[in-house]
Amino acid sequence: MIRAIKGTRDLLPPESGLFEEVETVAREVFRLYNFAEIRTPIFETTELFARSVGEETDIVTKEMYTFQDRDESSLTLRPEATASVARAYVEHRLWEKPGLTRLYYMGPMFRRERPQKGRYRQFYQIGAEVMGSGAPQVDFELLEMLTLLLQRFGLTDAELLLNSVGCPQCRPAYHEALRKALEPRLPRMCADCQRRAQTNPLRVLDCKVPEDQPIIAELPVLKDYLDLGCREHFQQVCQLLDSAGIRYRLEPRLVRGLDYYTRTAFEFVHGALGSQNSLLGGGRYDGLAQVLGAPAQASQGIGFAIGEDRFVLALQAAREKAGAIVPAGSDVFIAPVGAEVQSACLALARELRAAGLSVETGEAGRKLGKLLELASRTGARFALLVGEQDLSGNQIPVKQLATGHQQSVERAGLSDYLKQALTAAPVTAGEVGKS
RNA sequence: GUGAGUGUAGCUCAGCUGGUAGAGCGCUGGAUUGUGGCUCCAGUGGUCGUGGGUUCGAUCCCCAUCACUCACCCCA
């Protein structure tokens, strides 16, 4: 049997419906903040990611799907989308348009990691970027938009973690101080930290080994090394959040794994996600566009990416907790009584669909009992029992499957009756999905 | 890349220190040729992940391998 390859999966109903719902609501919320969609290619030159994400990052050194095209150029399946958006910003000189560039995207990303709960090799991200301004106000509005999106789904138990990671001007001093402080302490730390001290010293701060915690507490804190500009920027972001009543937790040890981040860095974490608890992450990346060819004064940017798979996981947990059920089936199931009403039933279905109802048609000629059983078990909300005499009398029996209540309805007023009844009637007692 | 756990029917799982497999759910039909959910009956289902070894005999014990899951790592 041919199976989906490791780390990839088929999104089937009812779960695929949740992805659709998350995307729909995200689009609505993005529209409120005047974001428009960008669709970038799913593969790019390898160089783009090496230059923007960072040559030494884990993503670039060991997680990318890179391959040779037939002309021998090196291409890579996108591991994230900010690089592509920045590339498009530069390629189309978007800074020359009036106002800020506010773009959102959604789609699959690819990283070759060992699969785990909430971690896949093909995974889905929903993200947005604001380019062309370094104002703290922009950071604030982005975070506010995210809290609104989480609110829309009732994920109010997600927690915002906030930090400033400085800029290329002040970070080297911190790096130096950190390295000095680490040197004498390293022998007492775990093997991972000893390795990280070489590859990515900032990640030492993120270590979870209990024995290392007292040592980490003694290390210099990035906050104390921020230059004036970075410090004021961060302070203003915090003030704006405070005055809007948005809760957050300062996390001086929050570190991002991509090289392009500057100043504001944030993450929303959620308890239902297991060890991959980061629901979404993002931050400012003020120099990125310049690296790719934008003029310095237009190269500021900030953005985030939501892990859609994780978002859905959290949503499922929340809905399960709330005991929510959703109808899985069609609005209407048409049950033909006898083989000779086939085409009349199909015409009726056409009529109801034209009125906006979702209609499933039972196979003409099957026993009515079987058809009703099918209607009920597929979660249809109403069944129409359509035989010769019903058609000739222009009275169609309509059965509400959850209650068993049945009444005849004038054919001409059928779609209006159904639409009205659908909003009033309880959800089917038939098969329901786990949300 | 590293570690641990698990692989038996479409799904969830049972299977006694080793005698070549069961249940529930599902699916199809019937009881019920114009009335579903409940019930009853029948049918449909499996190279017991794969390969090798031990044994008279292996779903069970041993080795290898693959897959899945979780964790490390990393990140969304």
Side-chain angles (χ1 to χ4, degrees), chain A residues 82 86 89 100-101 128-135 138-139 142 233 260-264 266 282-290 296-304:
Chain A
T82 301
Y89 179 73
L100 301 185
T101 302
E129 317 285 350
V130 186
M131 310 193 70
S133 168
V138 174
D139 304 35
L142 201 71
H233 179 95
Y260 53 62
Y261 284 110
T262 58
R263 295 194 166 177
T264 312
F266 58 86
R284 184 159 275 289
Y285 44 87
D286 285 341
L288 177 58
Q290 192 178 7
Q297 71 273 15
S299 75
Q300 296 119 315
I302 182 169
F304 63 83

Side-chain angles (χ1 to χ4, degrees), chain A residues 167-177:
Chain A
C167 66
Q169 278 71 51
C170 56
R171 223 173 324 172
Y174 175 68
H175 265 113
E176 188 52 34

Side-chain angles (χ1 to χ4, degrees), chain A residues 183-195:
Chain A
E183 215 177 309
R185 294 177 170 87
L186 220 47
R188 288 183 285 141
M189 304 186 77
C190 71
D192 278 329
C193 281
Q194 303 197 9
R195 181 181 50 74

Side-chain angles (χ1 to χ4, degrees), chain A residues 38-94:
Chain A
I38 180 171
R39 299 195 188 193
T40 64
I42 226 162
F43 55 92
E44 301 264 8
T45 65
T46 302
E47 190 194 355
L48 172 65
F49 301 114
R51 291 238 312 256
S52 52
V53 174
E55 303 269 11
E56 303 304 321
T57 58
D58 279 17
I59 292 177
V60 171
T61 57
K62 50 193 189 203
E63 295 174 2
M64 295 203 303
Y65 281 99
T66 294
F67 59 97
Q68 294 267 306
D69 198 357
R70 289 178 182 234
D71 66 2
E72 309 212 323
S73 56
S74 178
L75 305 181
T76 293
L77 257 34
R78 61 182 187 192
E80 58 109 40
T82 301
S84 297
V85 176
R87 193 219 78 235
Y89 179 73
V90 173
E91 187 169 337
H92 304 290
R93 302 177 72 88
L94 296 180

Side-chain angles (χ1 to χ4, degrees), chain A residues 112-242:
Chain A
R112 199 183 184 290
E113 296 183 271
R114 195 78 169 264
Q116 206 177 310
K117 184 180 169 81
R119 191 168 82 184
Y120 307 94
R121 290 183 173 183
Q122 174 174 337
F123 60 103
Y124 294 83
Q125 286 191 338
I126 299 176
E129 317 285 350
V130 186
M131 310 193 70
S133 168
Q137 175 179 338
V138 174
D139 304 35
F140 163 77
E141 282 198 304
L142 201 71
L143 290 167
E144 184 189 56
M145 180 171 82
L146 285 167
T147 60
L148 176 62
L149 180 60
L150 290 166
Q151 256 170 40
R152 287 280 175 101
F153 285 100
L155 294 177
T156 46
D157 44 351
E159 192 180 13
L160 170 58
L161 308 182
L162 197 63
N163 193 21
S164 174
V165 296
C167 66
Q169 278 71 51
C170 56
R171 223 173 324 172
Y174 175 68
H175 265 113
E176 188 52 34
L178 182 60
R179 207 148 44 82
K180 279 212 176 100
L182 275 174
E183 215 177 309
R185 294 177 170 87
L186 220 47
R188 288 183 285 141
M189 304 186 77
C190 71
D192 278 329
C193 281
Q194 303 197 9
R195 181 181 50 74
R196 279 189 284 241
Q198 301 303 318
T199 58
N200 191 350
L202 285 178
R203 292 227 72 91
V204 172
L205 305 176
D206 221 18
C207 179
K208 283 142 200 146
V209 176
E211 293 76 39
D212 284 4
Q213 299 312 307
I215 305 174
I216 292 169
E218 298 166 7
L219 295 173
V221 183
L222 181 54
K223 198 177 75 178
D224 300 331
Y225 287 79
L226 296 180
D227 62 30
L228 188 63
C230 290
R231 199 170 307 188
E232 281 182 350
H233 179 95
F234 192 52
Q235 208 175 350
Q236 286 186 49
V237 172
C238 292
Q239 272 169 14
L240 288 168
L241 289 169
D242 289 337

